[in-house]
Amino acid sequence: MQNLFGNPHSGSQSSQLSTRRIEDVRLRALRFFRADPDQFDLIFVANATAGIKLVMEGFREQKGGFWYGYHQDAHTSLIGVRENAVEHRCFRSDEAVEDWIQAQSVSTPGPDDGRGGLFAYPAQSNLNGRRLPLSWPGRLRSLQDPAECKIFSLLDAAALASTSPLDLSDASQAPDFTVLSFYKIFGFPDLGALLVRKDSSKPLVHRRYFGGGTVEMVTCMSESWHMKKQGNLHEQLEDGTLPFHSIIALDSAFNVHAKLFGSLERISTHTSFLANNLYQDLSSLRYANGRNVCTIYKDPRSSYSNPLTQGPIIALNLQGSKGEWISNAEVEKLAATRSLQFRTGGLCNPGGIASFLELAPGEMKRNFSAGYRCGGENDIISGKPTGVIRLSLGAISNAQDIEVFVRFLEEFFVDNHCCPEHKTRNIEADASYYVESLSVYPIKSCGAWQVPSHMTWDVRPEGLAWDREWCLVHQGTRAALSQKQIPRMALVRPYFDFEKGVLRVRYAGQLPLSVPDEITIPLSTNGESIQESTPRPANMCRSSRVCGDSVSVYIYESPDIATFFTAVLSTPCTLARFPPGPSSTRHSKLHLQQPKPRNVPSTEPPIPGAFPTPPPSPPADPSPILLSNESPILTISCSSLTHLNQLITCNSPLAKPVPTSVFRANIVLAPSNPPPGSETSYDEDNWTGLRIHHTNEHKDAEITDLNVLAPCRRCQM
């Protein structure tokens, strides 16, 4: 029976064993943070965010509500508490907090009507690792009447505790409430904790909700009455059945951690040494022209040589040799080729992002309108980055990890070698090109189908006919899948068979057993063809999400179609269609992404992919699109690609040239018989439109005019 654990809310032998083990681990966790069990209690929660919500629930039930203050460096989990406060304030700097603490009115943050307050901040910024003063809670408490404390402190120690000891031995200086995540310290189990000073627990008992073991008795028939538990604080706050297996696993995590690393003090010394070395290496990276490769976002008050002010985290962005920002999404893709793991984006720290990237609230709202979403690839808007790269070092990091990352930057981004001559054409000169190839991508994120040279092809308002009219959607979420999530989608190859009126789909990889070589999809938009098992057309339409947009698509519910795609991609998915028409709900966002003109001398060559000055007369109205990312048609120039490949091979002689297929363009243009040595590149950065001369199926000459909307983010690299 020593290994049989039961629900702690029972009197059986296995249940009592679980209860004993839970209390033993609770005590061990308190001692791990040097918290006296006579002065602190520890409540097990799912994660740090759950602990924050638990504190918020208690304050929310106070008479008259509560005042809430939070530091600009706060994680969104702390910021979200403000939505439940009757009044809130964001402290934009440490100095603002210091002034507020020193103010004589610190004990009355709001009207003197008995309303309480809560001040929250992170012990360590999850954005750049800066460590904030741990003295604030004690100073805040010392300025208040101990018999009538109105303002309490909440410390988010999740980031700090992962690589640094959290010392709560002096209860008079400790925060009233401290949240953390054990998985960030040990890796496993997925568990968090809320540590509470027992003298500060009064606000939490105001919580109205009860569930599971937090209540002694409940009546629910003719009378609504209940009696909550009156014992230990954790018994009043740990709703439902505790994850007792995870808590017992935490005991093993303590053992393994101590055996491998000794103590958090040793980890702090180790990671601080590594972080300082990495910071020095990144700061010293230069291009041949002397420009910095990395822009590092470090607070001037912190130092990587002092673990009291700085944790082992570095936040940065990369810039090219001419100052252009490099897309973090592209950096992350390149890093995957070297098995490097780091985080990019806003990092759930909007205050830090806004401060370091100089993004005003109005800009952030415009970025949202332009299509920016958390986790999306649209990370450079109006010439500014919207997020950062975060490098986090931990107990298992070593010097080789740093060396590998620095070599990665030198390999892909630092151009200290010769550069081929770059030639540009006078903007007013007549540029003559021909269409080298024309391709469509029937299924979004899957393979291309090249249009035969003898075949004419329709150009519709949404783009080329049949281009990205289909997509693969997850059978559970109905969200569209992409190559970023599932790289093997590139091996899904669609082919048009117009004689049969079908789209044939094959898989270029190894087919699983019992999966057919190909499936056929009717090109007809007839409802019966799309959803064979549902006779009513009204039931064919389903809501889906494509590139952050909410759209209505037609789902193929044929078992054969779903089975084929699920088998080859190892993901439960099926095919969906977004046919063109006047009711299209998606439009190009490029009209909202026009960058600010950069003050670059006209004698400088243009920066490839750096978003040059937009065309003088961009379209006033957004263009309709089907399932493409941003615009109806994507065009690239062979001349520009040739120059890019010259740069690549010049900087890395062993590197392979990039083929045109990498850019997934619809139209590939090549110059018409240029004299030797006269071929120019990046002319397209200044184009306002394309005029294509061609013959139709009756051999009659025709002209197709296309407007240039904006440079494509895919070409920033």
Side-chain angles (χ1 to χ4, degrees):
M1 297 291 290
Q2 293 182 352
N3 295 317
L4 179 62
F5 302 101
N7 188 322
H9 300 153
S10 181
S12 68
Q13 188 175 356
S14 60
S15 297
Q16 291 304 302
L17 178 60
S18 295
T19 300
R20 289 196 303 272
R21 292 294 301 275
I22 289 172
E23 294 311 314
D24 290 347
V25 176
R26 191 189 312 275
L27 177 61
R28 187 171 186 180
L30 284 168
R31 288 173 174 170
F32 187 77
F33 301 113
R34 302 189 179 102
D36 186 345
D38 290 331
Q39 296 179 306
F40 288 89
D41 202 347
L42 184 146
I43 295 92
F44 286 113
V45 290
N47 47 42
T49 298
I52 294 169
K53 287 181 65 179
L54 195 57
V55 174
M56 177 271 295
E57 288 174 357
F59 277 83
R60 185 177 58 189
E61 304 300 339
Q62 293 190 87
K63 180 182 178 181
F66 71 103
W67 172 91
Y68 183 60
Y70 59 95
H71 194 280
Q72 174 181 273
D73 258 335
H75 189 277
T76 52
S77 298
L78 285 180
I79 299 174
V81 175
R82 73 185 186 190
E83 302 304 311
N84 293 274
V86 295
E87 184 182 352
H88 58 82
R89 174 184 176 183
C90 175
F91 293 93
R92 301 186 62 178
S93 65
D94 291 5
E95 290 73 24
V97 176
E98 296 283 353
D99 293 343
W100 172 72
I101 290 177
Q102 291 298 327
Q104 294 301 313
S105 59
V106 67
S107 61
T108 54
D112 190 14
D113 55 3
R115 180 189 304 167
L118 180 65
F119 167 63
Y121 74 102
Q124 175 179 299
S125 168
N126 74 302
L127 176 75
N128 66 352
R130 181 177 79 91
R131 289 176 173 168
L132 285 72
L134 297 179
S135 60
W136 287 342
R139 292 173 54 201
L140 181 61
R141 188 178 301 113
S142 67
L143 294 175
Q144 302 182 77
D145 182 356
E148 192 180 356
C149 182
K150 280 191 174 183
I151 305 179
F152 296 82
S153 57
L154 168 60
L155 181 71
D156 177 3
L160 174 73
S162 62
T163 57
S164 179
L166 177 64
D167 188 349
L168 301 178
S169 57
D170 187 351
S172 66
Q173 299 300 310
D176 297 302
F177 314 105
T178 302
V179 295
L180 52 89
S181 292
F182 286 115
Y183 87 88
K184 291 186 177 179
I185 303 174
F186 306 118
F188 181 85
D190 298 330
L191 196 66
L194 166 64
L195 289 90
V196 181
R197 288 181 73 253
K198 291 183 177 180
D199 290 344
S200 308
S201 62
K202 184 177 178 181
L204 300 189
V205 300
H206 291 297
R207 198 176 63 121
R208 295 183 184 181
Y209 178 80
F210 60 85
T214 59
V215 63
E216 295 282 11
M217 183 172 288
V218 181
T219 63
C220 55
M221 301 296 285
S222 59
E223 181 180 352
S224 297
W225 172 87
H226 73 278
M227 177 58 66
K228 298 181 70 174
K229 282 195 173 180
Q230 302 298 313
N232 292 318
L233 181 64
H234 63 259
E235 293 179 331
Q236 302 175 50
L237 298 178
E238 290 174 342
D239 299 316
T241 302
L242 282 171
F244 51 91
H245 290 114
S246 294
I247 295 173
I248 294 169
L250 180 60
D251 196 30
S252 298
F254 281 121
N255 293 333
V256 174
H257 191 266
K259 184 177 180 180
L260 292 177
F261 309 116
S263 66
L264 277 170
E265 285 83 358
R266 292 183 63 186
I267 292 175
S268 177
T269 301
H270 170 70
T271 54
S272 179
F273 172 77
L274 293 178
N276 189 43
N277 287 350
L278 178 58
Y279 174 72
Q280 298 298 333
D281 288 348
L282 295 178
S283 300
S284 64
L285 284 179
R286 298 282 193 280
Y287 290 106
N289 61 7
R291 283 185 180 270
N292 289 327
V293 176
C294 304
T295 296
I296 299 176
Y297 303 108
K298 188 185 81 68
D299 192 282
R301 291 163 294 192
S302 69
S303 170
Y304 279 96
S305 60
N306 183 3
L308 294 178
T309 63
Q310 180 64 50
I313 292 177
I314 296 179
L316 70 146
N317 275 315
L318 302 181
Q319 289 182 274
S321 59
K322 295 184 176 68
E324 73 278 17
W325 295 106
I326 296 174
S327 165
N328 291 335
E330 302 301 333
V331 176
E332 201 167 22
K333 291 176 184 176
L334 290 171
T337 67
R338 295 295 181 267
S339 299
L340 292 170
Q341 308 295 322
F342 48 77
R343 187 172 174 183
T344 64
L347 311 181
C348 298
N349 192 315
I353 287 291
S355 175
F356 282 112
L357 302 185
E358 300 180 349
L359 293 171
E363 286 182 281
M364 298 179 78
K365 291 180 180 179
R366 284 195 297 273
N367 290 349
F368 182 84
S369 297
Y372 174 73
R373 297 293 184 273
C374 182
E377 296 188 4
N378 190 10
D379 57 10
I380 298 179
I381 301 179
S382 297
K384 281 186 174 183
T386 57
V388 301
I389 298 169
R390 186 181 72 187
L391 308 176
S392 302
L393 298 168
I396 61 174
S397 301
N398 55 45
Q400 185 179 4
D401 296 333
I402 294 174
E403 183 181 350
V404 168
F405 182 77
V406 174
R407 280 208 310 262
F408 160 73
L409 295 185
E410 291 174 338
E411 176 185 2
F412 286 101
F413 301 101
V414 183
D415 56 343
N416 286 321
H417 300 83
C418 61
C419 291
E421 183 181 0
H422 171 73
K423 297 181 179 180
T424 56
R425 190 192 307 268
N426 187 306
I427 294 178
E428 310 221 345
D430 179 24
S432 179
Y433 289 78
Y434 71 94
V435 177
E436 184 178 80
S437 66
L438 186 68
S439 300
V440 293
Y441 300 81
I443 304 175
K444 179 178 175 60
S445 288
C446 294
W449 185 76
Q450 188 166 320
V451 179
S453 58
H454 66 274
M455 186 178 292
T456 59
W457 205 259
D458 289 342
V459 179
R460 299 170 178 170
E462 301 87 1
L464 298 179
W466 309 106
D467 186 51
R468 295 173 175 90
E469 192 167 317
W470 289 267
C471 67
L472 294 172
V473 296
H474 191 276
Q475 288 181 315
T477 64
R478 298 298 191 192
L481 305 181
S482 69
Q483 270 193 41
K484 182 178 181 181
Q485 302 164 320
I486 308 174
R488 70 173 71 172
M489 290 178 70
L491 300 177
V492 175
R493 307 288 169 79
Y495 303 85
F496 286 107
D497 185 345
F498 291 112
E499 291 185 2
K500 301 290 186 181
V502 296
L503 178 70
R504 301 186 183 277
V505 183
R506 299 169 187 165
Y507 182 64
Q510 184 173 358
L511 283 169
L513 295 175
S514 73
V515 175
D517 293 339
E518 72 172 27
I519 57 168
T520 57
I521 314 295
L523 295 178
S524 168
T525 56
N526 183 295
E528 295 180 358
S529 301
I530 295 177
Q531 194 167 357
E532 300 168 355
S533 60
T534 305
R536 293 176 299 171
N539 289 338
M540 297 189 299
C541 195
R542 296 286 187 272
S543 177
S544 179
R545 293 196 68 81
V546 177
C547 299
D549 296 331
S550 180
V551 298
S552 294
V553 297
Y554 293 92
I555 303 291
Y556 289 80
E557 293 191 349
S558 163
D560 293 339
I561 293 176
T563 299
F564 177 84
F565 287 112
T566 296
V568 299
L569 298 180
S570 300
T571 299
C573 61
T574 189
L575 194 66
R577 191 172 188 177
F578 188 61
S583 60
S584 176
T585 57
R586 296 197 71 225
H587 295 85
S588 167
K589 297 183 179 68
L590 291 174
H591 70 294
L592 295 172
Q593 298 178 11
Q594 299 300 339
K596 298 176 181 178
R598 298 182 302 104
N599 296 321
V600 178
S602 58
T603 56
E604 274 197 27
I607 304 170
F611 287 149
T613 303
S617 301
D621 299 320
S623 304
I625 58 176
L626 294 181
L627 299 176
S628 57
N629 286 9
E630 294 181 333
S631 61
I633 296 174
L634 177 61
T635 302
I636 66 169
S637 162
C638 287
S639 299
S640 302
L641 183 57
T642 297
H643 184 265
L644 174 64
N645 281 323
Q646 290 172 348
L647 285 172
I648 292 172
T649 54
C650 181
N651 288 321
S652 302
L654 299 180
K656 297 180 180 179
V658 178
T660 56
S661 59
V662 167
F663 295 91
R664 297 176 63 80
N666 297 111
I667 303 174
V668 178
L669 298 176
S672 299
N673 301 318
S678 65
E679 189 170 341
T680 61
S681 53
Y682 310 117
D683 288 347
E684 63 274 16
D685 286 351
N686 298 303
W687 291 349
T688 59
L690 299 177
R691 170 163 289 184
I692 302 177
H693 299 259
H694 57 95
T695 56
N696 61 22
E697 57 186 2
H698 304 295
K699 306 299 181 181
D700 296 327
E702 290 188 352
I703 294 177
T704 299
D705 287 322
L706 302 175
N707 290 321
V708 171
L709 298 180
C712 174
R713 290 185 307 108
R714 186 170 289 151
C715 299
Q716 287 184 64
M717 297 307 297

